[in-house]
Amino acid sequence: MTDGRSAPTEVFAHYRELLREEPWLETAVCWTVVVPHDHRPFSVADIGARVSGGSPHDVHEAAPLEALPYYDGVHPMSAAPAGPAVTLFENNGFLGSLPEVLRRLSRDGRVCGVYWNVEGNNRLSYAADGRVLVSLDAMFSEEWDDDIFAVLEPELRAMTEMLTEDEGDWQAAAMTVVESVTGVRLTAEWLAEAYPYITFQWPVAS
């Protein structure tokens, strides 16, 4: 992960290349970035409490993505600092896309994330101060209304321009919005590293 702000076209090119380098990403992922207002990062334990809402969960030592446990009823989530922000990543997961989770994660901060699965379900979300302000289908930007654009201007405008030029890269465009809003980049190097992770019992609190 790297912090910084780049031109949307450069960010878009980065994610197009990342999806080519790591084709498994196109299948089903949930990438969520939490940015605290006061620049004091939330601890992994705090993230676990916010995501779970009080339901059973466990915090674990660092492990690579391929070593995380995947079995019925248990949902693993990597949680890694990125400057003052915290990056949450789920391979074939969805917890970071749930409105109730976004509300809890965004208390005292803001959250932007993207989710999709193999069936084409997807969600690009933005929440701040305990409220979900944007929750949209990233594949169909022509259906977004002016109220949605007003929340994330100019990030969503830039995304629609990218989709106009290359409609097949909605995933890269959605990831561009997450980086543009949070200043945090997802890279192949990050995906290869080990990070603390949390396991949650389904369902989490509503």
Side-chain angles (χ1 to χ4, degrees), residues 7-10 12-13 16 138-142 144 149 152-170 172-174 176-177 180:
T9 52
E10 185 277 326
F12 183 53
R16 291 182 67 185
M139 293 181 68
F140 299 105
S141 60
E142 67 274 8
W144 305 347
F149 282 110
L152 290 181
E153 186 74 80
E155 292 88 357
L156 291 180
R157 294 291 182 191
M159 179 178 175
T160 58
E161 293 173 5
M162 296 168 198
L163 291 174
T164 299
E165 296 176 0
D166 194 333
E167 296 180 359
D169 274 344
W170 65 270
T176 297
V177 172
S180 297

Side-chain angles (χ1 to χ4, degrees), residues 165-201:
E165 296 176 0
D166 194 333
E167 296 180 359
D169 274 344
W170 65 270
Q171 291 166 316
M175 296 174 87
T176 297
V177 172
V178 177
E179 177 174 333
S180 297
V181 170
T182 65
V184 175
R185 173 165 292 188
L186 188 66
T187 66
E189 291 76 17
W190 188 93
L191 293 168
E193 293 295 326
Y195 301 99
Y197 70 97
I198 312 161
T199 50
F200 300 92
Q201 301 291 326

Side-chain angles (χ1 to χ4, degrees), residues 78-143:
S78 292
V86 180
T87 296
L88 309 179
F89 187 87
E90 303 165 74
N91 181 13
N92 196 25
F94 60 88
L95 296 181
S97 71
L98 299 176
E100 58 269 30
V101 171
L102 290 165
R103 286 193 291 268
R104 291 192 289 263
L105 284 173
S106 68
R107 290 198 304 264
D108 308 313
R110 55 195 175 88
V111 178
C112 190
V114 63
Y115 148 81
W116 59 76
N117 69 16
V118 69
E119 297 177 346
N121 298 316
N122 75 89
R123 193 59 41 186
L124 176 62
S125 304
Y126 175 74
D129 298 314
R131 296 175 57 217
V132 178
L133 302 175
V134 171
S135 179
L136 52 83
D137 188 320
M139 293 181 68
F140 299 105
S141 60
E142 67 274 8
E143 298 178 359

